[in-house]
Amino acid sequence: MNPDPENTSIITERTDTSAPVAIAYVRVSSAAQVAKGQGAESQAARCADYARQKGYRLIKTFEDKAISGSLVDRPGMKQLLAYVRKHRKEKIRVVIDDISRLARGLEAHLALRTAIADAGGVLESPSIEFGEDSDSQLIEHLLASVSAHARVKNAEQTRNRMEARIRQGYWPFWACIGFKFEKREGHGKVLVRDEPIASIIQRGLEGFATGAFQTKAEVKRYFESEPDFPKTAKGDVRATFVHEILTRVLYAGMVERPEWGVSLRPGKHDGLISFETLEKIQERLSGKAYAPARADINEDFPLRGAVVCGDCGNPLTANWSKSKTGKRHAYYSCFNKDCPSVRKSIRRADLEGAFAAILKGLTPAKPLFTLVKAMFADAWEQQRARSKDVAKTLKADLARIETEITGLIDRIVAADQPRVVAAYEARIDRLERDKLVLTERIEKSGGPKRPFEEMFELSLQFLANPWILWEKGSLENKKTALRLAFQGPLIYCRKTGFRTPETSFIFNMLEGENIMKSRLADRVGFEPTRRLPAYTRSRRAPSTTRPPVHFAKRGL
């Protein structure tokens, strides 16, 4: 007989073929016991000792790994029953270490006990003698009930311990992607960053919150572009997985378990993002529906979606084309059926070359850039000086929210309508989240943790020469550069090239040539050029009518 090496193992005790045949069944209920090798070996050894004392020939051991005792459908047990049926005539003895190893529930115990008997096996154990009389069955059922009670009690104790841990701010479940557990003295297991995945997720979350990633599809493509990020067998990332990452409070350093009555609270671990950033993400997610990911938006065509056709105004699409020689060529084109330029290709080199000339032309004058940098530095110092006043304002807002929460709780106590109570509870939940945001802001209002040069280094580099970020950056950095440099889509005409783009406000300010040309208008040249006299009520204006004629003076 050749048993399955994954689920069974042979234990040969003697070569006497006339001895009764026995098989053993062992079960461990947790994956930790399987990993550490605890439980299964001791059960098998005790079954072997029992078979030796009884004079049985123990030929096989069946095992179920990490299977709950409340379940009847088990792979190891199925193999055992099939083996017993196949050798029904031998009246095989099925040896178990303890009644709890067969099942931890009266219903499951009776089902498996009946299945073994129907297959032709005889159940035995060194811990209990199975009999068919009423007294033996009573004891057997009592022990099965006690085993079930122990299982339920153990589950309750485990849940209570886990609930106590999460109420203290610790995460007692599995470590989600981007985190791993680390033992710390006085704390036990605590979540810590699991690099490099933690940094990848952090950039994805912050990018979506700030708008660098406009859609969940862009976040999905970013994760797929990172070699270290785990993917499916097809090499992609599921959209549902991306949504779970965007909504998981653990990444903001928070823990909660609503089904256990544990509300949202700060965790003992450091988050990848701030709670305020998480709230911005939730606001964006609830704002509008997003388009699914498209496979043709990639590094090959960074301007796809950012350039529109000059004839019809529709966004240009992009594609690869293969010539008769097998060489591939990249093109942008318009696919609007009503456009005069429909399906008339534009070489990628021509379009992107013209765009490069525009982006290089955005380089500001050095004196102006130095001035802007000095203005930013001055504003930075002023903001640091105002940090104390900001902290006072935030504390006042926090006190106001606490007062409002207390008032709502009093209203809940006095209310008797379920709908009114539910509305109050929803309002309290919203205020509690606002309270967490304010608490986080107060902690950060003491001033910046890093100097000005380090905080603004990348921004200043982009303003000094946006072409560098475009040329050396990733696809997402290029999209960010487009949003920062231009207010709207770029218009490209197939015959004349790009039209004058509408640059962003910051680049309009930094456009040195225009600022140097601008000056106040001279007064000379506007009508009138001389000052007119002003008349008041105390001075009568000269008459414009001729005086009356006096005929007497003329002798008439």
Side-chain angles (χ1 to χ4, degrees):
M1 285 175 281
N2 295 321
D4 184 355
E6 292 186 0
N7 297 298
T8 62
S9 60
I10 296 178
I11 304 178
T12 304
E13 299 297 330
R14 58 174 65 192
T15 58
D16 185 4
T17 57
S18 62
V21 176
I23 59 176
Y25 174 75
V26 299
R27 180 186 64 83
V28 288
S29 57
S30 68
Q33 291 176 315
V34 176
K36 297 178 182 179
Q38 299 174 348
E41 290 77 5
S42 59
Q43 293 179 45
R46 195 155 185 257
C47 291
D49 291 339
Y50 175 81
R52 187 183 302 109
Q53 294 173 7
K54 287 288 189 176
Y56 299 154
R57 183 162 49 94
L58 187 63
I59 61 172
K60 203 168 189 179
T61 298
F62 293 86
E63 181 180 279
D64 274 314
K65 301 176 181 179
I67 300 294
S68 172
S70 62
L71 301 176
V72 177
D73 189 7
R74 312 172 191 171
M77 180 57 69
K78 286 182 177 179
Q79 293 182 9
L80 182 147
L81 293 174
Y83 184 85
V84 173
R85 292 192 195 97
K86 186 176 180 180
H87 303 85
R88 179 184 294 271
K89 295 181 179 180
E90 300 182 28
K91 288 289 183 181
I92 296 177
R93 272 68 174 173
V94 180
V95 183
I96 58 175
D97 172 41
D98 185 76
I99 194 172
S100 62
R101 297 302 91 199
L102 181 65
R104 278 191 174 272
L106 181 58
E107 185 178 351
H109 173 84
L110 294 176
L112 293 176
R113 177 89 156 81
T114 302
I116 292 173
D118 293 342
V122 180
L123 188 63
E124 296 188 18
S125 172
S127 302
I128 181 177
E129 183 176 350
F130 295 98
E132 300 301 329
D133 59 284
S134 59
D135 292 337
S136 298
Q137 289 184 5
L138 176 61
I139 295 174
E140 179 183 344
H141 293 174
L142 286 175
L143 291 176
S145 299
V146 170
S147 180
H149 174 267
R151 174 181 62 82
V152 175
K153 189 66 177 178
N154 183 46
E156 289 179 353
Q157 292 176 347
T158 301
R159 181 194 178 283
N160 291 337
R161 288 193 295 268
M162 295 173 71
E163 182 181 338
R165 287 281 292 174
I166 197 171
R167 287 187 181 277
Q168 294 172 352
Y170 299 97
W171 185 246
F173 306 98
W174 64 92
C176 62
I177 181 174
F179 285 114
K180 62 182 179 180
F181 280 115
E182 182 180 276
K183 285 189 176 181
R184 293 181 180 176
E185 186 177 356
H187 295 273
K189 289 184 177 181
V190 181
L191 291 174
V192 295
R193 297 173 68 101
D194 184 15
E195 297 293 356
I197 300 177
S199 295
I200 295 173
I201 294 177
Q202 180 179 353
R203 288 193 291 270
L205 293 171
E206 292 178 345
F208 186 80
T210 58
F213 302 123
Q214 288 290 327
T215 65
K216 289 190 291 184
E218 291 187 13
V219 180
K220 177 178 180 291
R221 287 192 295 272
Y222 165 68
F223 288 155
E224 291 172 345
S225 68
E226 292 290 341
D228 295 320
F229 195 85
K231 304 174 183 63
T232 65
K234 296 180 180 179
D236 60 356
V237 178
R238 291 182 293 106
T240 54
F241 186 46
V242 175
H243 183 78
E244 291 174 2
I245 292 177
L246 292 173
T247 56
R248 196 180 292 276
V249 298
L250 284 178
Y251 294 127
M254 299 288 173
V255 295
E256 66 174 347
R257 195 70 173 179
E259 56 268 35
W260 289 359
V262 182
S263 59
L264 186 68
R265 62 196 62 203
K268 298 295 184 180
H269 65 283
D270 295 328
L272 306 185
I273 58 174
S274 66
F275 184 72
E276 184 177 4
T277 301
L278 180 68
E279 288 292 272
K280 291 180 180 178
I281 292 174
Q282 307 318 305
E283 291 176 1
R284 293 203 60 203
L285 288 175
S286 60
K288 60 180 180 179
Y290 296 112
R294 295 181 58 128
D296 54 354
I297 299 179
N298 51 40
E299 294 282 356
D300 296 337
F301 303 102
L303 291 177
R304 190 185 190 283
V307 180
V308 299
C309 176
D311 293 329
C312 66
N314 283 354
L316 294 180
T317 187
N319 63 284
W320 285 96
S321 178
K322 185 180 292 186
S323 63
K324 293 181 179 179
T325 60
K327 188 176 180 180
R328 300 175 73 228
H329 302 274
Y331 294 100
Y332 287 88
S333 57
C334 180
F335 271 68
N336 181 18
K337 295 180 180 180
D338 300 327
C339 180
S341 298
V342 60
R343 295 185 178 274
K344 293 182 180 180
S345 301
I346 305 168
R347 293 175 64 244
R348 182 182 65 176
D350 295 341
L351 188 143
E352 294 186 1
F355 172 77
I358 293 176
L359 203 58
K360 290 177 182 178
L362 292 180
T363 303
K366 291 184 177 180
L368 283 175
F369 182 76
T370 303
L371 176 62
V372 170
K373 183 178 179 179
M375 291 171 60
F376 278 149
D378 184 63
W380 174 267
E381 294 299 328
Q382 291 181 13
Q383 184 63 32
R384 292 183 59 182
R386 288 197 298 265
S387 60
K388 294 183 179 180
D389 296 334
V390 172
K392 291 181 180 179
T393 302
L394 293 175
K395 289 179 180 178
D397 293 339
L398 185 62
R400 177 184 56 78
I401 289 178
E402 290 177 345
T403 302
E404 187 174 352
I405 290 175
T406 302
L408 289 172
I409 293 175
D410 294 338
R411 293 183 183 181
I412 290 176
V413 174
D416 56 358
Q417 296 293 330
R419 293 179 61 183
V420 175
V421 172
Y424 286 154
E425 290 176 345
R427 176 60 180 165
I428 289 175
D429 181 69
R430 180 66 260 176
L431 290 173
E432 288 289 351
R433 299 180 76 93
D434 293 342
K435 183 179 174 182
L436 290 172
V437 172
L438 287 176
T439 303
E440 190 176 66
R441 288 181 180 177
I442 291 172
E443 293 175 355
K444 295 180 179 179
S445 62
K449 297 181 180 180
R450 290 179 287 177
F452 169 80
E453 289 76 11
E454 184 179 351
M455 292 289 289
F456 282 88
E457 181 179 1
L458 182 60
S459 300
L460 294 175
Q461 286 178 0
F462 171 74
L463 293 175
N465 193 348
W467 169 250
I468 296 179
L469 180 62
W470 178 270
E471 185 180 25
K472 299 182 179 180
S474 63
L475 175 63
E476 303 307 331
N477 284 341
K478 291 179 178 179
K479 289 184 175 295
T480 302
L482 282 170
R483 299 188 187 104
L484 292 176
F486 304 101
Q487 290 189 14
L490 303 171
I491 303 174
Y492 186 86
C493 184
R494 189 171 54 86
K495 296 180 180 180
T496 60
F498 279 105
R499 296 179 184 172
T500 303
E502 187 178 0
T503 54
S504 63
F505 175 76
I506 184 66
F507 279 100
N508 287 335
M509 291 182 59
L510 291 174
E511 193 172 359
E513 184 177 355
N514 290 343
I515 294 181
M516 294 300 181
K517 288 181 179 180
S518 64
R519 58 192 179 94
L520 293 176
D522 291 334
R523 187 177 62 175
V524 178
F526 288 93
E527 295 294 340
T529 58
R530 65 182 181 86
R531 187 180 182 88
L532 295 176
Y535 296 98
T536 63
R537 292 184 179 180
S538 61
R539 179 181 178 184
R540 178 178 298 177
S543 174
T544 57
T545 60
R546 297 181 66 179
V549 179
H550 297 282
F551 297 99
K553 293 182 179 181
R554 294 187 180 183
L556 297 177

